[in-house]
Amino acid sequence: MPAVVVPVPYIFNAKTMYELIAGVVAEEFVPRADRVVFDLSRLRFIDTGCVTIFANLVEWLLRRGVEVEFAGCDPRRKAISYMDDCLFFKTYAGSCLTETAAPRVTTMPFRSVLYRESHDWLENRFTPWLAGVLDVPAASLRDLRSCIRELFNNIDDHSTEQVGCMHVQWFPNNGNIGISLSDFGVGIPAEMARAHRFADDGEALLLAAQDGVSSKRGGRNRGAGLALLIDNVVGRSSGAVRIYSLHGQLTCSPDGGAISRNAVTVPGVYPGTLVNITLPAERIEIVEDEREDLEW
Amino acid sequence: MVIRVRDHVQRCQSWSDGDVIGQQIKRVLAARERAVVSFDGVGDVPSSFVNAAFVSLLDDYSFDFIKRHVSVVDSTSQINSLIKRRLSSEAERHLLTA
């Protein structure tokens, strides 16, 4: 199988990611070639969540024995410099592009986290880092952390790979925290199809986000995870949750006092699931580590 | 009888972790004792853990019985609100399907 050269889009965001993925993943969810060269010479902007996608895509190829190379990596371009600071090239090309490349204060660079390591990673890496950046007590992040636990449990339940790629970005300019978690499992619509009927992948995501709808008949986890995530992030904190899985996209955003859920089905395919969370930091309730008893 | 969660599981992350605690609670209730579940040293839990530890009790006991015989102490607002939410929601579902 000859090598393929895949151009990375000029603007790499959730809309353009499909063309990049289609360049390397064939319809049957197998690599298009034994050797892939990502050409970054056109890239001028990369959405922070797309660093996760790119990293996960490379991981997916490497796990299938594909040789991966990068071309057109000029660190004078901001997008490339950002990826370099996220240690993308150090991780996948062997070394950073520049000697000064280092994670920025506002970035917790993408990292592949195995499910079995996710508890310790959330407790000992994610929480101290975000509490430090936001200057809040670690106890204030319990609700958010439990939401991420829900996503890792979904990966454990539904993904054959049992590994998620996570990237966290603090945007001081607009006060938002951006969290991306991606896996290349079978995808939510494929899982949902085992127990439900639906018209398309967008409708499958809408169904999966309902409280009490599980992808498994009589499932142990009872389908509460995604609903809790959306309630916590969107309903209580006025943030946004965007889910991309196979041909489906679901956007959950605040709409007055309610939650707007907009599901669409697109021609492109995301092999697995990507969850992007946007959370206004000001909505994080500052709490100290106070213990309490449950009152029924 | 006090069941200190951390004495039985290393972490409160999965359905399996919660199932260990659920079995402990069921053992205590079967002995006609009151179960006091302590979350000393635990900050937050996901729904899978709560489903296995607490919601599974609805298979054998009513929500009212659980409220009278199971206490949760040394916990956090995240843990308590999730336990209440999940149990209320599933108890309602049990009633509708009964």
Side-chain angles (χ1 to χ4, degrees):
Chain A
M1 212 184 299
V4 293
V5 178
V6 184
V8 177
Y10 183 84
I11 294 173
F12 187 2
N13 58 22
K15 284 182 183 169
T16 61
M17 68 176 177
Y18 293 111
E19 56 190 88
L20 180 72
I21 293 168
V24 291
V25 183
E27 287 291 316
E28 314 81 48
F29 293 150
V30 293
R32 286 196 186 280
D34 296 330
R35 184 167 161 254
V36 170
V37 180
F38 288 105
D39 178 5
L40 293 101
S41 56
R42 291 171 61 215
L43 179 68
R44 292 295 183 277
F45 173 83
I46 182 165
D47 193 281
T48 54
C50 289
V51 179
T52 317
I53 296 165
F54 207 166
N56 223 9
L57 190 57
V58 173
E59 292 278 351
W60 186 87
L61 291 168
L62 293 175
R63 281 163 188 260
R64 284 156 181 78
V66 176
E67 196 179 326
V68 176
E69 291 176 32
F70 305 94
C73 307
D74 183 349
R76 289 172 298 182
R77 277 181 278 128
K78 286 183 179 176
I80 301 290
S81 171
Y82 178 73
M83 289 176 65
D84 204 22
D85 285 346
C86 289
L87 307 182
F88 184 92
F89 298 106
K90 182 179 180 183
T91 307
Y92 297 119
S95 62
C96 293
L97 299 177
T98 64
E99 289 181 0
T100 55
R104 300 175 186 183
V105 177
T106 51
T107 306
M108 188 169 199
F110 70 93
R111 161 102 194 259
S112 290
V113 182
L114 290 168
Y115 172 74
R116 64 173 183 272
E117 297 170 350
S118 62
H119 172 82
D120 291 339
W121 187 82
L122 286 169
E123 299 265 343
N124 303 322
R125 299 287 304 276
F126 171 77
T127 303
W129 180 83
L130 192 55
V133 166
L134 300 177
D135 194 22
V136 298
S140 308
L141 301 175
R142 283 174 182 154
D143 282 337
L144 177 61
R145 191 170 60 194
S146 71
C147 290
I148 311 294
R149 285 192 206 281
E150 301 288 354
L151 294 176
F152 273 108
N153 277 340
N154 278 355
I155 288 174
D156 183 47
D157 284 346
H158 307 311
S159 172
T160 48
E161 311 260 334
Q162 297 197 319
V163 59
C165 187
M166 189 163 165
H167 184 85
V168 189
Q169 181 76 41
W170 158 236
F171 299 95
N173 292 346
N174 61 19
N176 286 335
I177 304 155
I179 299 172
S180 297
L181 183 62
S182 174
D183 72 75
F184 275 130
V186 296
I188 294 173
E191 276 291 330
M192 292 296 288
R194 296 181 182 186
H196 303 276
R197 286 168 180 259
F198 43 81
D200 52 41
D201 288 0
E203 195 178 301
L205 296 188
L206 205 52
L207 197 61
Q210 285 179 25
D211 191 9
V213 178
S214 172
S215 63
K216 295 172 183 169
R217 289 190 190 279
R220 300 184 307 182
N221 288 339
R222 297 167 192 263
L226 282 181
L228 277 169
L229 166 74
I230 292 164
D231 272 6
N232 271 328
V233 172
V234 186
R236 290 173 50 195
S237 303
S238 297
V241 173
R242 295 176 181 83
I243 302 172
Y244 306 83
S245 193
L246 303 187
H247 295 284
Q249 291 182 3
L250 176 66
T251 301
C252 302
S253 51
D255 183 10
I259 298 172
S260 159
R261 292 174 170 84
N262 181 32
V264 293
T265 297
V266 297
V269 64
Y270 189 87
T273 302
L274 166 69
V275 179
N276 280 343
I277 297 171
T278 305
L279 185 71
E282 64 177 15
R283 299 300 296 260
I284 292 175
E285 188 184 353
I286 307 294
V287 295
E288 298 295 337
D289 189 13
E290 291 171 355
R291 312 301 293 183
E292 61 181 49
D293 298 343
L294 186 151
E295 291 182 11
W296 293 107
Chain B
M1 168 77 79
V2 176
I3 301 163
R4 185 177 176 270
V5 168
R6 290 296 296 271
D7 289 342
H8 299 278
V9 290
Q10 280 191 315
R11 53 184 65 89
C12 299
Q13 169 82 18
S14 66
W15 194 95
S16 302
D17 298 330
D19 188 44
V20 172
I21 304 306
Q23 296 302 328
Q24 290 294 322
I25 298 173
K26 284 175 183 171
R27 192 175 56 78
V28 172
L29 295 180
R32 297 177 181 277
E33 287 188 54
R34 185 180 169 81
V36 179
V37 183
S38 167
F39 278 94
D40 176 28
V42 182
D44 63 289
V45 297
S47 60
S48 305
F49 179 90
V50 171
N51 289 338
F54 295 95
V55 173
S56 64
L57 300 176
L58 289 169
D59 294 339
D60 301 311
Y61 303 100
S62 71
F63 190 20
D64 280 340
F65 180 92
I66 294 167
K67 285 193 274 190
R68 278 187 276 116
H69 293 86
V70 179
S71 308
V72 175
V73 301
D74 209 348
S75 181
T76 67
S77 60
Q78 189 277 333
I79 296 171
N80 290 342
S81 64
L82 186 56
I83 292 172
K84 278 200 287 191
R85 174 180 170 157
R86 292 298 306 137
L87 268 174
S88 305
S89 166
E90 291 294 332
E92 200 172 313
R93 219 184 306 264
H94 270 244
L95 281 177
L96 288 172
T97 55

